[in-house]
Amino acid sequence: MTLRQPFYEQCYPGAVCAVGLSLGTSLTQVRDPLFRGTGQATILVSLIMFIAVVTLWFAKRDSIGYFRAFASAMLALLQGSIFILVLGFLLMR
């Protein structure tokens, strides 16, 4: 068994979300309110899209309902966020 399939299943949606977050964050730094609003909308759409894709992935992979898949996706995102925050804290010390 290789890791190719799980890698593609996670990295493609993650890459699209990362591009959306990066672009949205950059747009929010512009002083023009139109660009700020567009940046915030881009961030929101990127996060919603990523959560939707991960939810569908969990539902298909684990053969569970969408509600449980959404809960699993949110738990995974929370765990990942906590890990990144702790790692960032440790690296800044």
Side-chain angles (χ1 to χ4, degrees), residues 10 48-79:
Q10 290 296 309
I48 289 171
M49 183 276 315
F50 185 72
I51 291 169
V53 169
V54 172
T55 298
L56 293 173
W57 182 74
F58 271 118
K60 181 180 177 185
R61 187 193 70 166
D62 297 339
S63 298
I64 57 178
Y66 293 121
F67 183 76
R68 285 193 59 200
F70 177 75
S72 295
M74 295 308 293
L75 180 62
L77 291 172
L78 177 66
Q79 289 172 338

Side-chain angles (χ1 to χ4, degrees), residues 12-27:
Y12 285 145
V16 173
C17 182
V19 168
L21 290 175
S22 178
L23 178 63
T25 303
S26 294
L27 287 173

